[in-house]
């Protein structure tokens, strides 16, 4: 059975919580029906980049996700929902039904957080060269130190270069931000950076020794700009950037405190 919570088709609303059954699993996804006149800047695996988007989908998948075509999988879920037009799709192994939200001055941030796989963005090279396999766990390492870069690593082996690319690992902290005002291209990119900064601040405030997970994703949705080009700034000390930062911080902090 599918459950639908209807919300007005506006970029300022949080997503509808839906459920589905796949391969014996009951899974959830959040769905934003943005409608016309909205564009998104995102790092989403489906529909990433900057451009008009009619919808955003944040889909839960089982732990040890076995598929190697997440973009196709997301497109299948979108088609089952009857979605048309360009959209952005994210994935996570976290419990999507446990999403958290933050609101500030018209900005809404919706977050799904699962932090079992986490670490620091600036990690030694060995942390990025180890192959990832679905279902394997990562042990959070210590913060990166500049002196670590000076320690000789393991010798190069030809088989390392020939190793196949690692399977896709679903991200565990996904952030969707919606605004009621248009942003310029530069401000949209800045908004993603601001949301990421606020995420890291919230994780540290929650007592977690990390900057995130290896595959976090961010989506920022705002109306398309008119002749004025949209708001020019979205850094944390601009009007709208500050609202983004506070909304994201609230949502991530709440999710981090309850995440497994």
């Amino acid at each position: 059975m599918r459950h639908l919570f209807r919300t007005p088709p506006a970029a300022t609303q949080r997503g509808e919580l839906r459920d589905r059954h796949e391969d014996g699993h009951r899974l959830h996804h959040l769905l934003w029906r943005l409608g016309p006149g909205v564009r998104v800047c995102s790092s989403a695996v489906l529909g990433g980049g900057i451009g008009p988007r009619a919808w955003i989908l944040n889909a839960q998948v089982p732990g040890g996700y076995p598929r190697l075509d997440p973009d196709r999988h997301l497109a299948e879920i979108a088609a089952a929902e009857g979605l048309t037009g360009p959209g952005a799709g994210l994935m996570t192994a976290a419990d999507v039904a446990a999403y958290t939200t933050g609101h500030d001055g018209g900005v809404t941030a919706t977050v799904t957080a699962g932090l079992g796989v986490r670490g620091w963005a600036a990690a030694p090279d060995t942390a990025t060269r180890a192959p990832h396999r679905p279902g394997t766990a990562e042990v959070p390492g210590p913060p990166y130190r500049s002196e670590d870069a000076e320690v000789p690593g393991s010798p190069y082996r030809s088989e390392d270069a020939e190793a196949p690319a690692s399977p896709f690992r679903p991200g565990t902290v996904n952030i969707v931000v919606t605004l009621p005002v248009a942003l310029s291209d530069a401000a949209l990119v800045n908004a993603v950076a601001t949301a990421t900064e606020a995420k890291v601040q919230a994780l540290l405030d929650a007592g977690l020794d990390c900057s995130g997970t290896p595959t976090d994703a961010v989506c920022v949705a705002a109306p398309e700009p008119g002749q004025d080009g949209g708001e020019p700034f979205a850094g944390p000390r601009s009007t709208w950037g500050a609202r983004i930062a506070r909304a994201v911080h609230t949502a991530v902090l709440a999710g981090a405190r309850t995440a497994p």
Side-chain angles (χ1 to χ4, degrees):
M1 176 183 294
R2 295 180 181 272
H3 300 287
L4 170 62
F5 296 87
R6 297 189 179 277
T7 56
T12 54
Q13 299 298 317
R14 66 188 183 189
E16 307 164 5
L17 181 63
R18 307 283 300 220
D19 66 4
R20 69 189 194 279
H21 290 83
E22 287 183 4
D23 301 324
H25 298 280
R26 184 183 181 219
L27 304 168
H28 294 90
H29 53 271
L30 284 167
L31 173 60
W32 288 257
R33 302 178 189 270
L34 302 176
V38 176
R39 65 177 186 160
V40 172
C41 178
S42 81
S43 60
V45 67
L46 173 68
I50 299 178
R53 301 290 184 265
W55 48 268
I56 298 173
L57 179 67
N58 184 14
Q60 179 184 357
V61 296
Y65 182 67
R67 293 184 59 161
L68 303 180
D69 57 346
D71 52 344
R72 183 184 295 271
H73 188 186
L74 285 162
E76 293 169 356
I77 298 172
E81 287 284 2
L83 301 175
T84 59
L90 309 88
M91 279 188 170
T92 178
D95 180 8
V96 168
Y99 70 92
T100 55
T101 59
H103 309 275
D104 195 289
V107 174
T108 296
T110 305
V111 170
T112 54
L115 290 154
V117 179
R118 62 181 186 268
W120 292 95
D125 185 55
T126 52
T128 60
R129 290 170 59 189
H132 286 161
R133 296 180 177 85
T136 60
E138 287 183 346
V139 179
Y144 173 72
R145 301 170 302 170
S146 59
E147 57 266 30
D148 293 336
E150 300 170 2
V151 178
S154 57
Y156 171 79
R157 300 177 302 168
S158 60
E159 57 265 32
D160 292 337
E162 297 169 0
S166 62
F168 172 79
R169 291 174 60 84
T172 50
V173 179
N174 285 340
I175 301 171
V176 175
V177 178
T178 57
L179 294 93
V181 298
L183 301 178
S184 68
D185 286 358
L188 272 173
V189 175
N190 206 173
V192 172
T194 296
T196 303
E197 290 181 39
K199 175 196 73 174
V200 176
Q201 181 181 346
L203 294 175
L204 296 178
D205 287 347
L208 297 175
D209 198 22
C210 67
S211 59
T213 84
T215 44
D216 293 350
V218 180
C219 282
V220 177
E224 292 182 335
Q227 293 184 349
D228 63 354
E231 294 288 328
F233 306 112
R237 290 300 169 264
S238 67
T239 298
W240 288 101
R243 293 171 180 176
I244 291 170
R246 289 190 293 265
V248 170
H249 182 272
T250 297
V252 174
L253 184 61
R257 286 173 170 167
T258 59

